[in-house]
Amino acid sequence: MRSLWQDQEAKPFLSSPLGLRAYTSRLLGREPSLVLHGGGNTSVKTSAANVFGEEEAVLCVKGSGWDLATIEPAGFAPVRLDILQRMADLPSLTDGEMVRAQRAAMTDPSAPTPSVEAILHAIIPFDYVDHTHADAVVAVTNTSRGEERTREIYGERILVVPYVMPGFVLAKTVREMTRELDWSRIDGMILLNHGVFSFGSDAKSSYERMIDLVSLAEGYLTAHGAMETLEVPEEHRHDQRSLVSLAGLRRSVGLARGRPVIARLDEGPDARHLAARTDVAEVATRGPLTPDHVIRTKPLAMVAESDDAGGWEGAIEAYGRAYRAYFQRHATPDQVMLDTAPRWVVWQGRGSVGFGDSASNASIVEDIARHTARAIRWSERLGGWKALPEDDLFEVEYWELEQAKLRKAGDPPSLAGKVALVTGAASGIGRAAVEALRGAGAAVVATDIDPKVTELFAGPDVLGLVADARDREAVTASLGIGVRRFGGLDILVSNAGVFPPSRLLEEMPDEIWNESIALNLSSHLHLLRAAVPFLRLGFDPSVVIVASKNVPAPGAGAGAYSVAKAGLTQLARVAALELGADGVRVNVLHPHAVFDTGAWSPSVLADRAKHYGITEEDYRTNNLLGVELTSVDVGRAILAFAGTTFSKTTGAQIPLDGGSDRVV
């Protein structure tokens, strides 16, 4: 661990204590092994003028919902310092009362809710306080001799605090432990099984004390051989059976959870090493790295080995029975059990899989699992991984403050947890479909022959891949990569196509005809054939075929295009007949004259308008409704077909042309 402080970088923040606080908080947040996905909190004690012009001492503490990696001054909640310090001396305080009292003491009611550790930050007599869940520190404390080893590392430099529930109880415990303490003699606190605190009179010293404390733990692990070079088995080569098995796992977990889920497969060194351990079923089920993680991962991972053709149901049911028993051992009569589905599965011999209701949440679980696997390895080499007892984990998982967050989250987007693949996604209809599906909560694999598809979209919920739709191997490979990234497939938008140059049939060159058939028809068959095994394991699976108005109303000179699209429509009808028993819906959209797509260059538009003897402007609205069609309109129609609106419709053909007198 090394300090990331740079004088030049820090210079713009030197005039503001809160600015410096944000700067060093982001330095902590840059290092995932310190503050994994929102973990940890920081604060600064400063002053602010109230409405009467009087200066008040305030604690600006990280607000709920903010991540240290990206926090700004607005992410800190200003709370009257004296009120927080007096709260620490109360004999008791419920979590709800604590939150209400902290909010009532805020000098800015529009600021985010203060961290549950605000009282603890307030009673530490230093201007700057930093708190992290450093992997190395927690790995040391999560051993059978955790406290002894901690004192061996730090001696008298730190205060060792036994694990207690975060929030008021923790603040009260530290208050009682430090009434006679000379704070100037210590550099920080180690909270067993939880994390580490550092503090200082200025931002740099507090931050660099944190780096120093964590570095000492890393050095101890290294000296005891815990951080030696990792030897891992060879990475598994994925074939169709293993990918289908992954999709089956995703389906089984989603059914247990009662909703679609994203599944992130991790086959990195840490995950593979854990999955290859002969004792993995025992060590991976002792508990999470920190109690905070139980909200994301549940108290235990599920360890299972698939037969590459499914076979997950028994393990999922066993996990559910164990979770129900765990709940019954600790629940009070007024508590309602959460779903029994695992969030983290160790796939023996392969790696691990993280599950979430969105790509972002699944990625977070995957990341937490990776750090946990690494910490387990370190702790095992120090004598044995030992997490908190399950009653402590249950207390955090069913903590009223965490449950309130879940209730506050509201209903998920309509396609949350679903996975879509869109071809021809770099422009026009395909790009609009990607954005429409993402907007509804789906994770999307976006493919196109144009390399720009890899740079068009940003975010954990989209994966841009270069693939020529005519290349069977490329199509199969892109589908496999998408399944590995998101776990399966629920929605297929078969959109790739080309509008070839106009030629009368008697003048049609073979290459124009063959190219149109290859891309506008055959490529869709190849994609559908590769996708069907995954669609069968999807949630309300839907295929949307993008055809053309030229199917019901072909045009002279457009034979290569019209025939290919007519064949594509017939392909979709046959697919609807064959896949209906599997619950896979197959429907067709017939767009026409969508002018913001690559098919409509200025020259093509001018040529078609001239052919009909009207102006280009009139040609744009040459339909019964007198409207102009855009790719966004088609994207919305694709979304409707993929969602619940047409959940009981298959084999349908819907025109999207503003009304054509040639069709009507």
Side-chain angles (χ1 to χ4, degrees), residues 15 43 85 102 105 185 369 411 414 474 485 523 546 562 571 640 653 655:
S15 61
S43 68
Q85 292 171 337
Q102 288 182 171
R185 295 176 53 202
D411 294 331
S414 61
R485 173 66 66 90
S523 72
V546 180
S562 300
L571 172 67
Q653 301 179 52

Side-chain angles (χ1 to χ4, degrees), residues 10-81:
K11 194 173 182 180
F13 304 100
L14 294 177
S15 61
S16 165
L18 189 53
L20 267 178
R21 176 68 287 173
Y23 171 64
T24 54
S25 298
R26 290 197 292 266
L27 296 184
L28 294 173
R30 290 181 191 175
E31 177 48 68
S33 65
L34 291 177
V35 286
L36 192 59
H37 296 292
N41 41 66
T42 58
S43 68
V44 60
K45 298 176 181 72
T46 183
S47 62
N50 62 23
V51 69
F52 305 107
E54 302 163 339
E55 289 291 315
E56 292 182 305
V58 297
L59 176 81
C60 293
V61 63
K62 174 184 173 288
S64 177
W66 283 79
D67 193 315
L68 290 183
T70 56
I71 197 166
E72 300 175 0
F76 291 89
V79 191
R80 293 180 177 86
L81 184 60

Side-chain angles (χ1 to χ4, degrees), residues 325-634:
Y326 151 82
F327 177 82
Q328 291 163 3
R329 284 194 294 271
H330 302 287
T332 58
D334 61 318
Q335 288 177 316
V336 178
M337 187 177 68
L338 301 171
D339 70 82
T340 64
R343 300 299 191 269
W344 171 28
V345 170
V346 179
W347 187 353
Q348 288 182 277
R350 297 291 182 85
S352 71
V353 188
F355 298 89
D357 53 9
S358 67
S360 177
N361 287 338
S363 179
I364 289 172
V365 174
E366 176 194 26
D367 211 8
I368 289 173
R370 183 183 306 117
H371 283 255
T372 303
R374 188 178 306 153
I376 286 174
R377 185 174 75 254
W378 295 344
S379 296
E380 281 293 289
R381 289 174 177 171
L382 280 186
W385 168 257
K386 183 181 178 182
L388 284 170
E390 68 172 35
D391 55 342
D392 289 317
L393 299 177
F394 182 89
E395 190 174 16
V396 175
E397 185 178 11
Y398 283 86
W399 192 8
E400 65 173 288
L401 301 184
E402 294 296 344
Q403 295 308 306
K405 289 181 184 178
L406 294 177
R407 291 190 296 270
K408 191 176 180 180
D411 294 331
S414 61
L415 297 184
K418 287 198 169 188
V419 182
L421 186 146
V422 180
T423 64
S427 62
I429 291 172
R431 184 173 181 177
V434 171
E435 296 295 5
L437 294 166
R438 290 179 71 196
V444 184
V445 181
T447 71
D448 201 289
I449 194 173
D450 189 339
K452 74 178 182 182
V453 74
T454 62
E455 302 173 354
L456 277 178
F457 312 103
D461 61 340
V462 64
L463 174 64
L465 297 173
V466 177
D468 185 340
R470 299 164 299 182
D471 184 336
R472 300 187 195 189
E473 291 186 1
V475 167
T476 301
S478 63
L479 184 59
I481 294 170
V483 171
R484 290 181 69 182
R485 173 66 66 90
F486 299 126
L489 183 65
D490 309 294
I491 300 164
L492 178 63
V493 180
S494 200
N495 166 70
V498 64
F499 192 87
S502 294
R503 291 290 192 278
L504 296 176
L505 293 177
E506 62 183 302
E507 302 170 351
M508 179 77 65
D510 286 347
E511 57 268 23
I512 290 180
W513 177 269
N514 292 337
E515 180 183 2
S516 181
I517 297 298
L519 182 54
N520 293 325
L521 175 55
S522 298
S523 72
H524 296 259
L525 170 63
H526 303 153
L527 174 62
L528 183 63
R529 192 162 51 200
V532 163
F534 303 106
L535 289 167
R536 286 195 175 110
L537 294 169
F539 293 89
D540 184 26
S542 174
V543 178
V544 183
I545 301 289
V546 180
S548 170
K549 187 266 305 184
N550 280 46
V551 173
Y561 183 75
S562 300
V563 170
K565 289 291 188 177
L568 177 59
T569 302
Q570 197 74 343
L571 172 67
R573 296 175 67 195
V574 173
L577 292 169
E578 295 181 355
L579 300 177
D582 296 312
V584 181
R585 299 181 285 120
V586 185
N587 294 291
V588 181
L589 275 176
H590 290 312
H592 176 60
V594 183
F595 293 103
D596 60 344
T597 64
W600 289 94
S601 64
S603 61
V604 170
L605 176 60
D607 180 67
R608 301 312 296 167
K610 181 179 179 181
H611 176 79
Y612 285 99
I614 57 178
T615 66
E616 293 181 22
E617 186 60 35
D618 287 340
Y619 186 76
R620 288 177 180 274
T621 57
N622 188 27
N623 52 62
L624 298 179
L625 295 177
V627 295
E628 181 175 341
L629 277 294
T630 69
S631 56
V632 171
D633 297 319
V634 186

Side-chain angles (χ1 to χ4, degrees), residues 95-235:
D95 296 319
E97 291 170 341
M98 178 189 70
V99 171
R100 286 191 294 274
Q102 288 182 171
R103 284 208 62 86
M106 291 171 60
T107 61
D108 180 2
S110 66
T113 299
S115 164
V116 296
E117 309 292 12
I119 299 175
L120 178 53
H121 282 253
I123 64 175
I124 297 174
F126 290 89
D127 288 344
Y128 289 85
V129 178
D130 295 41
H131 170 43
T132 76
H133 302 154
D135 289 356
V137 174
V138 181
V140 171
T141 67
N142 282 13
T143 59
S144 55
R145 295 173 47 225
E147 181 173 353
E148 179 184 340
R149 290 183 181 279
T150 300
R151 296 186 185 279
E152 185 180 337
I153 295 170
Y154 298 106
E156 300 299 319
R157 290 186 58 182
I158 51 93
L159 174 72
V160 178
V161 182
Y163 176 79
V164 293
M165 187 71 175
F168 177 76
V169 176
L170 175 57
K172 186 73 174 175
T173 299
V174 174
R175 182 66 141 183
E176 296 302 322
M177 292 180 67
T178 59
R179 288 194 183 278
E180 306 299 325
L181 177 69
D182 179 1
W183 285 87
S184 66
R185 295 176 53 202
I186 64 172
D187 296 327
M189 299 188 301
I190 301 296
L191 313 181
L192 297 180
N193 306 100
H194 184 164
V196 53
F197 272 81
S198 65
F199 26 79
S201 58
D202 60 84
K204 184 178 182 181
S205 64
S206 181
Y207 164 71
E208 293 194 334
R209 278 181 179 174
M210 175 64 70
I211 300 304
D212 181 44
L213 292 173
V214 176
S215 295
L216 288 171
E218 291 179 331
Y220 183 87
L221 289 166
T222 300
H224 286 74
M227 284 187 165
E228 62 189 30
T229 302
L230 178 62
E231 295 183 6
V232 296
E234 183 179 349
E235 186 173 0

Side-chain angles (χ1 to χ4, degrees), residues 216-301:
L216 288 171
E218 291 179 331
Y220 183 87
L221 289 166
T222 300
H224 286 74
M227 284 187 165
E228 62 189 30
T229 302
L230 178 62
E231 295 183 6
V232 296
E234 183 179 349
E235 186 173 0
H236 179 77
R237 292 182 180 274
H238 284 274
D239 55 19
Q240 178 82 351
R241 286 172 59 85
S242 65
L243 291 171
V244 170
S245 185
L246 174 61
L249 172 60
R250 170 184 176 252
R251 178 173 176 80
S252 296
V253 170
L255 290 175
R257 192 167 178 178
R259 59 181 300 170
V261 293
I262 302 298
R264 289 289 301 254
L265 174 62
D266 181 2
E267 293 180 296
D270 293 301
R272 296 210 313 279
H273 182 273
L274 178 63
R277 292 182 68 109
T278 57
D279 61 350
V280 60
E282 199 274 322
V283 298
T285 54
R286 293 180 191 167
L289 181 57
T290 77
D292 302 67
H293 292 162
V294 74
I295 306 301
R296 298 281 192 179
T297 65
K298 286 194 174 289
L300 302 177

